[in-house]
Amino acid sequence: MADIYLYNTIARAKQLFEPLDPSNVRMYVCGPTVYDYAHIGNARPVVVFDVLFRLLKLVYGEERVTYSRNFTDIDDKIMNRAAEEGTSIRTISRRYEKVYTEDMAMLNALPPSRTPRATEHLPEMIKMMRTLIDKGHAYEAEGHVMFHVPSMDNYGRLSGHSRDELVAGARVEVAPYKKDPADFVLWKPSSDDQPGWGSPWGRGRPGWHLECSCMIEKHMGETIDIHGGGQDLIFPHHENEIAQSECANDGKQFVRYWMHNGYLTVDGEKMSKSLGNFHTVHDLVQDHPGEALRLSLLTAHYRQPVDFSLATVAEQKRRLDRWYRLVDGVQAAETVPASVVEALSDDLNTPKAIAAIDALAAKETAAELKAAAQFMGLLTQDSSAWFRGDTPDGITVDEIEALIEARSTAKRHKDFAESDRIRDRLINHGVILEDGPSGTTWRKAD
RNA sequence: GGCGCGAUGGCGGAGUGGCGACGCAGCGGAUUGCAAAUCCGUGUACACGAGUUCGAUUCUCGUUCGCGCCUCCA
């Protein structure tokens, strides 16, 4: 069995991965706040941790890995959106939850084992806040429940920020009800026109960090193996999750391996609506194969920044074209090639894994190529479906085949002018002809 | 200001104390009625300056440049 090494953010080093219980490997990844379409940057952790999920299942067994990814379905952004549309937060969150699920499936990301929702864990949150108050780690103030940071000795271990630094570097005004400037909110009051739930501290709603602590504990236990997310979540989100969970559980370790993916830029710049380089996954999958998008996200190591561009997608699409030509009609090998497993076992080195797949890109190793690529969520369709896609514009498959037949006849009579005329006509419909030893085939142009 | 990350050929991107990973693009050739696809060939790349060393792109220090986080953000 392959040893897996993972970079652990809290240790700042690559470590041998040893799950607490190899018969139940537990991974949690922070999921989306469902208030709008997910953009391509949101898709990066999904694809990265999907690769890890696949690797863990290969190494530990298909049924021995639990992967949870939450939906944050209560949040001010959702509330604002609901208010704009004059509808409920549930309508908004369920709508975007559905779109998210569909879009990520287009990227060949496997569904997680569980997708818990924040709003379905209010009792657990209230229980955890009670525990934290009882143990002296939290307090009530003006309808809020606040976590008291100085009550925790080693707060800041994950991010490397000491409480003092945080206070010194604070950019935001300190709310008057805080005992300490570093304290953060577990529960905040809701006005009558805002969504809220009853609690011992009045009607209100949870703070952002609390849900993850509660859902992890409920579904996977007090200690889990892997917790993942984007680097921007290290502070404050994950730092505060540690504070909540470890203080509620008397210091018991919350997460054994913390993993964080790097940022994604688009055309070299931070993606933003004002720069016009904002790509939602929903839009991208209309015009580009999901596998090409997926491969584009995996060309860089997950801890490095990755620059996304349509040129990259086109390049990766051509790489997939080459692979698809080789595996046409080929049955995938039974085992995943060791070179690919080894590359991924070294802290998820996807660029090296892709290179290993390229090394298998030859006629003689097409079965291994297919097995390796499918393991990474690629080459999952028939080659003919990949190349032909949906019916091209303004022409039916029957018409295409009739024209190919007519061209073959012309070719037999050495009527190359007619032959080329037919080729050009099909090119105008986005259909490219390829004459091979066994006849003429066609594919859709890029 | 604090903490952290990075700099590899035209582009993307691994890796290594001593043989130019790999892909894309380019160029030359084979093949093809023309194409496409495929195959073969083709490149003195490791930001800069010191140091350690028989030898540094790789280790150490410094410099420059770029980036992220510091209580909305994957």
Side-chain angles (χ1 to χ4, degrees):
Chain A
M1 186 179 292
D3 283 340
I4 298 176
Y5 286 82
L6 298 174
Y7 184 89
N8 190 348
T9 306
I10 202 161
R12 282 148 224 279
K14 222 187 265 186
Q15 297 178 326
L16 175 65
F17 176 67
E18 298 177 288
L20 205 54
D21 175 4
S23 70
N24 181 22
V25 181
R26 286 158 286 183
M27 172 165 80
Y28 181 91
V29 174
C30 287
T33 300
V34 276
Y35 71 104
D36 204 345
Y37 291 104
H39 61 244
I40 187 68
N42 294 317
R44 189 177 191 194
V46 173
V47 169
V48 163
F49 290 104
D50 178 64
V51 172
L52 181 57
F53 183 37
R54 290 164 184 264
L55 178 67
L56 292 170
K57 290 201 295 179
L58 181 77
V59 172
Y60 291 94
E62 189 70 22
E63 302 302 323
R64 294 185 174 178
V65 182
T66 303
Y67 168 28
S68 290
R69 188 182 63 213
N70 69 300
F71 284 113
T72 298
D73 60 349
I74 170 64
D75 174 273
D76 285 7
K77 290 191 289 290
I78 302 173
M79 285 163 48
N80 293 340
R81 190 71 190 244
E84 278 169 29
E85 295 190 20
T87 186
S88 67
I89 58 168
R90 186 189 163 96
T91 301
I92 297 293
S93 63
R94 290 301 167 88
R95 178 201 302 161
Y96 290 108
E97 191 180 303
K98 182 167 179 289
V99 173
Y100 183 88
T101 301
E102 290 166 357
D103 289 346
M104 297 308 138
M106 292 292 284
L107 302 179
N108 285 353
L110 301 171
S113 321
R114 287 205 190 86
T115 51
R117 298 183 179 107
T119 56
E120 293 171 357
H121 295 78
L122 267 298
E124 288 81 4
M125 296 191 212
I126 287 167
K127 184 168 166 250
M128 186 172 279
M129 285 189 282
R130 266 221 166 96
T131 304
L132 289 169
I133 290 172
D134 290 347
K135 293 185 177 176
H137 291 296
Y139 58 92
E140 183 187 5
E142 299 179 25
H144 297 69
V145 179
M146 304 299 298
F147 185 92
H148 193 44
V149 168
S151 75
M152 185 184 187
D153 290 337
N154 53 6
Y155 182 84
R157 268 187 315 145
L158 177 67
S159 61
H161 296 311
S162 72
R163 181 218 151 255
D164 293 344
E165 285 166 7
L166 293 174
V167 174
R171 298 183 301 190
V172 179
E173 240 178 280
V174 178
Y177 46 81
K178 285 188 180 183
K179 282 189 188 170
D180 186 274
D183 292 351
F184 61 90
V185 68
L186 301 174
W187 186 261
K188 51 188 163 190
S190 291
S191 59
D192 290 342
D193 57 340
Q194 291 176 321
W197 289 263
S199 84
W201 312 282
R203 189 170 168 281
R205 56 191 195 277
W208 173 36
H209 318 300
L210 192 58
E211 56 172 284
C212 291
S213 285
C214 292
M215 290 189 280
I216 286 170
E217 183 168 329
K218 178 175 183 189
H219 297 290
M220 293 195 282
E222 293 175 350
T223 302
I224 62 168
D225 296 303
I226 296 168
H227 190 136
Q231 274 169 358
D232 53 327
L233 294 182
I234 294 172
F235 190 89
H237 187 51
H238 290 162
E239 195 71 75
N240 290 349
E241 282 184 45
I242 294 173
Q244 293 161 350
S245 292
E246 297 199 350
C247 286
N249 294 321
D250 300 320
K252 187 172 177 186
Q253 187 177 31
F254 172 49
V255 170
R256 294 157 52 77
Y257 302 87
W258 284 97
M259 294 180 67
H260 295 95
N261 62 275
Y263 242 73
L264 174 144
T265 54
V266 173
D267 302 326
E269 296 187 275
K270 187 163 176 170
M271 180 167 37
S272 75
K273 285 177 179 165
S274 57
L275 283 172
N277 63 355
F278 193 90
H279 295 291
T280 66
V281 176
H282 199 67
D283 286 342
L284 286 168
V285 295
Q286 308 301 316
D287 298 327
H288 308 278
E291 290 189 6
L293 298 169
R294 178 182 177 92
L295 189 52
S296 299
L297 293 174
L298 295 174
T299 52
H301 182 87
Y302 77 94
R303 283 189 284 118
Q304 296 300 125
V306 65
D307 187 50
F308 180 88
S309 69
L310 296 182
T312 302
V313 177
E315 182 178 328
Q316 299 314 321
K317 200 246 172 206
R318 281 194 291 277
R319 193 201 294 257
L320 288 164
D321 284 345
R322 185 162 49 84
W323 292 353
Y324 266 113
R325 281 192 183 93
L326 286 162
V327 300
D328 191 12
V330 171
Q331 181 96 30
E334 301 249 326
T335 54
V336 181
S339 57
V340 173
V341 177
E342 278 167 25
L344 295 178
S345 296
D346 181 14
D347 194 31
L348 233 52
N349 193 333
T350 53
K352 204 174 176 185
I354 292 166
I357 295 176
D358 265 317
L360 297 169
K363 259 281 178 278
E364 314 79 63
T365 51
E368 285 76 24
L369 165 64
K370 192 164 186 177
Q374 290 192 334
F375 176 61
M376 288 191 59
L378 303 165
L379 304 189
T380 58
Q381 45 190 303
D382 283 345
S383 294
S384 59
W386 170 262
F387 286 114
R388 296 181 180 188
D390 305 324
T391 309
D393 295 334
I395 191 163
T396 67
V397 173
D398 285 347
E399 285 168 338
I400 293 169
E401 280 166 4
L403 283 166
I404 288 173
E405 187 52 44
R407 179 167 165 276
S408 296
T409 305
K411 277 176 66 181
R412 268 198 302 278
H413 296 127
K414 306 278 185 208
D415 185 356
F416 296 123
E418 171 67 3
S419 168
D420 290 345
R421 201 183 59 76
I422 293 171
R423 179 193 289 288
D424 290 345
R425 182 171 161 193
L426 284 167
I427 283 171
N428 287 336
H429 287 288
V431 174
I432 293 174
L433 297 185
E434 297 184 2
D435 294 335
S438 55
T440 300
T441 57
W442 64 274
R443 65 184 165 92
K444 237 171 109 171
D446 291 339

